[in-house]
Amino acid sequence: MEQCITIESLRHARNTLGNVGFVPTMGFLHEGHLSLVRRAKAENDAVIVSIFVNPAQFGPGEDFETYPRSLEQDMALLAKEGVDIVFTPKAGDIYPQNYVTEVSVKGVATQLEGASRPGHFTGVATIVTKLFNIVQPQKAYFGQKDAQQCAVIKRFVADLNIPVTIITVPTWREKDGLASSSRNVRLNPEEREKAPALYKALQRAQSLFQKGERDRNVLEKAIRDTLKQNNIEKIDYAKIVDPLTFQEVNPVSESGIALLAVPFSQARLIDNLPLALE
Amino acid sequence: MEQCITIESLRHARNTLGNVGFVPTMGFLHEGHLSLVRRAKAENDAVIVSIFVNPAQFGPGEDFETYPRSLEQDMALLAKEGVDIVFTPKAGDIYPQNYVTEVSVKGVATQLEGASRPGHFTGVATIVTKLFNIVQPQKAYFGQKDAQQCAVIKRFVADLNIPVTIITVPTWREKDGLASSSRNVRLNPEEREKAPALYKALQRAQSLFQKGERDRNVLEKAIRDTLKQNNIEKIDYAKIVDPLTFQEVNPVSESGIALLAVPFSQARLIDNLPLALE
């Protein structure tokens, strides 16, 4: 496994490979990331993983400085998976001082996470565009846990005619249902015990939908009620939306997806579940 | 020469070619465009020219509807130059209804043409990014006549790590010095007679610079005075700027460039000249 730090060295190393599957990450890798790597490994000649905590997608007051980092452990995990190249660029090379360009997405990027985190999806769209232009993969892999991120990426990739196929991989969950996330380590023991309620709440909405409930308000209330029953009082949002546009839909259709965001003391967690049987 | 109308057919045809030189145009081709094509032909295995009057780079009240078009004549000219593929996409394929993504550039894109034509460079940056992703050329060719457009394109290509080399080709001029432009046909006979004064005014500033004048205000006044002496009273701007950032600089350095924009009755013309000997 080769580690590339400069953009030039990555381009050079990439040119020796055939079809590339690309997994962009912010590091602190968990089983969810590794499931993306394994899928990429199965579907391509070679796999490139990037590790870059992207300052542009963190807002003021968000957790850029304290976002968990573990490069040495990440490298060991990726080597074990048979990854070909790990790209670990410096922020100064990705965003030189005279940098003035942004990729901005309206529509799907303006709801929910876009509303809660202004500028977040512009930061995501810009870094992913840059990484795609540097790595030039055939396919790129993203976790369904970040459902809106997946929708935003599919949107701008189509809109800008970027020649990369976007693959969404199902959310990896702990045994108790908590979606794997680098931020889970920031839950205190009491919060960690409560956290599986996020998935339970989404499952509750899914179950009601599958029994025939199509009223968005009823389904969203069921999510909020389940969270409250599990002593989670603060909820950022609990919504049923269309999975492509992220617009609220009522009555809810077969493609509807339930999403929630819950702030804990040191971490804000998100999760989602399609309402129809997967 | 093959004409491709759909994005899919262009991608398919492009895949049969080696290194591609790309000349994006809005059609109504003149000798300036053909000089780009000849340069592309000399430097690459194959040449692709696009003809697309891009609605996104015209503001409300600008001349999108009346922009001159001559597809049949353009095709004949390009066939004669030995162009491999002409890409003539439909606006509905380039901007489908659910399209929501923009490439926006600050800094260099905010001055002069950016200030006079809000949204213009966002439209340019977005379409050029899209065309690059569709055509995937090794090199792309732009005329120096649109100096700020060249600077904006070089800026976002670097910022987004787009793997295309941008080549700027010197301005093609009529015998009397008027810079070739598709919009020149919209000058009435009296205006056409006055129009070479744009180049004369820039040459006046260049001559003063080469005699040692470094005061931006003196050089800019010389441009305006020359225009007035030639009965051109309305001037959009006449400026000396840095050719990379398009910021005003005083005293003017060797890299300084003189630019002007002059509105005529049915056309707004721009031109520019580096102040140091070319």
Side-chain angles (χ1 to χ4, degrees):
Chain A
M1 188 176 77
E2 182 174 359
Q3 181 182 7
C4 295
I5 295 175
T6 69
I7 293 169
E8 295 63 34
S9 66
L10 186 282
R11 286 196 196 277
H12 191 263
R14 190 264 173 268
N15 277 343
T16 66
L17 305 174
N19 278 3
V20 162
F22 177 45
V23 183
T25 82
M26 300 211 299
F28 207 72
L29 304 178
H30 51 65
E31 280 297 318
H33 296 108
L34 299 182
S35 72
L36 305 181
V37 170
R38 284 169 202 145
R39 176 83 178 268
K41 184 96 184 147
E43 296 183 352
N44 301 275
D45 300 334
V47 176
I48 299 181
V49 175
S50 65
I51 298 178
F52 180 63
V53 184
N54 174 35
Q57 73 191 66
F58 290 80
E62 287 186 11
D63 58 352
F64 172 67
E65 295 300 335
T66 59
Y67 192 87
R69 291 159 169 90
S70 60
L71 185 58
E72 212 170 312
Q73 188 188 309
D74 291 347
M75 297 294 282
L77 287 168
L78 295 175
K80 212 169 130 191
E81 297 294 335
V83 164
D84 296 270
I85 300 175
V86 181
F87 182 41
T88 57
K90 304 279 184 209
D93 288 340
I94 294 293
Y95 301 113
Q97 268 207 314
N98 48 3
Y99 180 90
V100 289
T101 305
E102 278 179 354
V103 177
S104 70
V105 186
K106 296 194 183 73
V108 55
T110 59
Q111 325 293 325
L112 304 184
E113 290 301 293
S116 292
R117 306 181 65 187
H120 171 65
F121 283 126
T122 298
V124 168
T126 304
I127 189 66
V128 172
T129 299
K130 285 168 65 73
L131 290 171
F132 282 2
N133 283 328
I134 294 168
V135 174
Q136 297 183 60
Q138 274 61 45
K139 295 180 181 174
Y141 297 80
F142 296 88
Q144 171 66 21
K145 202 262 288 177
D146 300 306
Q148 193 174 5
Q149 173 174 281
C150 291
V152 168
I153 290 170
K154 284 179 180 169
R155 185 69 260 156
F156 78 74
V157 163
D159 285 351
L160 296 182
N161 309 99
I162 297 175
V164 176
T165 302
I166 304 302
I167 312 279
T168 301
V169 177
T171 303
W172 189 276
R173 296 182 184 282
E174 309 295 324
K175 277 180 188 144
D176 59 11
L178 176 63
S180 289
S181 164
S182 303
R183 289 185 171 100
N184 289 350
V185 294
R186 301 244 220 78
L187 301 174
N188 64 37
E190 191 196 346
E191 290 172 332
R192 178 63 188 81
E193 207 169 315
K194 281 183 194 176
L198 274 62
Y199 185 46
K200 280 194 203 107
L202 295 168
Q203 284 179 309
R204 174 83 186 119
Q206 189 187 52
S207 158
L208 287 171
F209 179 88
Q210 290 172 5
K211 284 174 189 149
E213 183 59 62
R214 291 294 180 271
D215 184 326
R216 180 171 71 77
N217 297 307
V218 172
L219 295 168
E220 292 177 358
K221 186 171 183 302
I223 299 174
R224 290 195 304 272
D225 287 348
T226 308
L227 291 171
K228 279 173 197 162
Q229 285 153 19
N230 287 270
N231 299 314
I232 294 174
E233 296 291 337
K234 263 176 104 177
I235 304 170
D236 197 346
Y237 59 75
K239 290 285 178 194
I240 314 293
V241 301
D242 174 271
L244 294 179
T245 65
F246 272 67
Q247 296 285 340
E248 292 173 357
V249 278
N250 210 9
V252 176
S253 70
E254 289 294 312
S255 65
I257 181 172
L259 302 103
L260 51 72
V262 172
F264 290 92
S265 59
Q266 302 296 320
R268 179 176 172 280
L269 300 190
I270 61 174
D271 199 355
N272 69 85
L273 202 60
L275 292 171
L277 279 170
E278 286 184 277
Chain B
M1 189 176 77
E2 183 175 357
Q3 181 182 6
C4 296
I5 296 175
T6 68
I7 293 169
E8 295 63 33
S9 67
L10 186 283
R11 287 197 195 276
H12 190 263
R14 189 265 173 268
N15 277 342
T16 65
L17 305 174
N19 278 2
V20 162
F22 176 45
V23 183
T25 82
M26 300 211 299
F28 207 73
L29 303 178
H30 52 65
E31 281 297 319
H33 296 109
L34 299 182
S35 72
L36 305 181
V37 169
R38 285 169 201 143
R39 177 83 179 269
K41 184 96 186 150
E43 295 183 353
N44 301 273
D45 300 334
V47 175
I48 299 181
V49 175
S50 65
I51 298 178
F52 180 62
V53 184
N54 174 33
Q57 73 191 66
F58 290 81
E62 287 188 10
D63 58 352
F64 172 67
E65 296 298 337
T66 60
Y67 193 87
R69 291 160 169 90
S70 60
L71 185 58
E72 212 169 312
Q73 187 188 311
D74 291 347
M75 297 293 283
L77 288 169
L78 295 175
K80 213 169 131 190
E81 297 294 335
V83 164
D84 296 271
I85 300 175
V86 182
F87 181 41
T88 57
K90 304 281 184 207
D93 288 339
I94 294 293
Y95 301 113
Q97 268 207 315
N98 48 3
Y99 180 90
V100 290
T101 305
E102 279 179 353
V103 177
S104 71
V105 186
K106 296 193 183 74
V108 56
T110 58
Q111 325 292 325
L112 304 184
E113 291 300 294
S116 292
R117 307 181 65 186
H120 171 65
F121 284 126
T122 298
V124 169
T126 303
I127 189 65
V128 172
T129 299
K130 285 168 64 73
L131 290 171
F132 283 1
N133 283 328
I134 294 168
V135 174
Q136 297 182 60
Q138 274 61 45
K139 295 180 181 173
Y141 297 79
F142 296 88
Q144 171 66 21
K145 204 261 291 175
D146 301 306
Q148 193 173 7
Q149 173 173 282
C150 291
V152 169
I153 289 170
K154 283 179 181 169
R155 185 69 259 156
F156 77 74
V157 163
D159 285 352
L160 296 182
N161 309 99
I162 297 175
V164 177
T165 302
I166 304 302
I167 312 279
T168 300
V169 177
T171 303
W172 189 276
R173 296 183 183 282
E174 308 296 323
K175 279 181 186 142
D176 59 9
L178 176 62
S180 289
S181 165
S182 302
R183 289 184 172 102
N184 289 349
V185 295
R186 301 243 222 80
L187 301 174
N188 64 38
E190 191 196 346
E191 289 172 333
R192 178 62 189 81
E193 208 169 314
K194 282 184 194 176
L198 274 62
Y199 185 46
K200 282 195 201 105
L202 295 168
Q203 284 179 308
R204 174 81 185 121
Q206 190 187 51
S207 159
L208 287 172
F209 179 87
Q210 289 171 7
K211 285 176 189 151
E213 183 59 63
R214 291 294 181 271
D215 185 325
R216 181 171 71 75
N217 297 307
V218 172
L219 295 167
E220 291 177 358
K221 185 169 182 304
I223 298 174
R224 289 195 304 271
D225 287 348
T226 309
L227 290 172
K228 278 173 198 161
Q229 286 153 18
N230 286 270
N231 299 313
I232 293 175
E233 295 291 337
K234 263 177 105 176
I235 304 169
D236 197 344
Y237 59 77
K239 290 285 179 195
I240 315 293
V241 302
D242 174 271
L244 294 178
T245 64
F246 273 67
Q247 296 284 339
E248 293 172 357
V249 276
N250 210 10
V252 177
S253 70
E254 289 293 313
S255 65
I257 179 171
L259 302 105
L260 51 72
V262 172
F264 290 93
S265 60
Q266 303 296 319
R268 179 177 173 280
L269 300 189
I270 61 174
D271 199 356
N272 68 86
L273 201 60
L275 292 171
L277 280 170
E278 287 184 276

